[in-house]
Amino acid sequence: MRQSSTVRLAGLLGMGIALAAAAAFYGAATVAGYAPVARYGGALWVGLLAWIITMPVLAPLLRRRA
């Protein structure tokens, strides 16, 4: 597998994980009754951080599997 396609796949997988984490945060904040700005801002923050953290972790794992 070429390196650029591995990085692209890691970015897409990381984005999927980040979207799932943001949705989970939004659901938990909604159930807990937080204000809308806290739910949206928190979900955006959790999604961004999850994407930043997962992408460099996933790229070497996918490169080793190829």
Side-chain angles (χ1 to χ4, degrees), residues 15-46:
M15 183 181 290
I17 292 170
L19 288 175
F25 178 87
Y26 183 82
T30 301
V31 169
Y34 284 97
V37 69
R39 288 183 297 201
Y40 297 132
L44 181 67
W45 187 246
V46 166

Side-chain angles (χ1 to χ4, degrees), residues 18 22 42-53:
L44 181 67
W45 187 246
V46 166
L48 184 65
L49 287 180
W51 193 25
I52 289 170
I53 291 170

Side-chain angles (χ1 to χ4, degrees), residues 2-3 9 12 22-25 29 31 33-34 36 46 48-50 55 57-58 64 66:
R2 292 182 20 208
Q3 182 174 358
L9 181 61
L12 290 175
F25 178 87
V31 169
Y34 284 97
V46 166
L48 184 65
L49 287 180
M55 201 171 125
V57 172
L58 289 176
R64 258 187 256 140

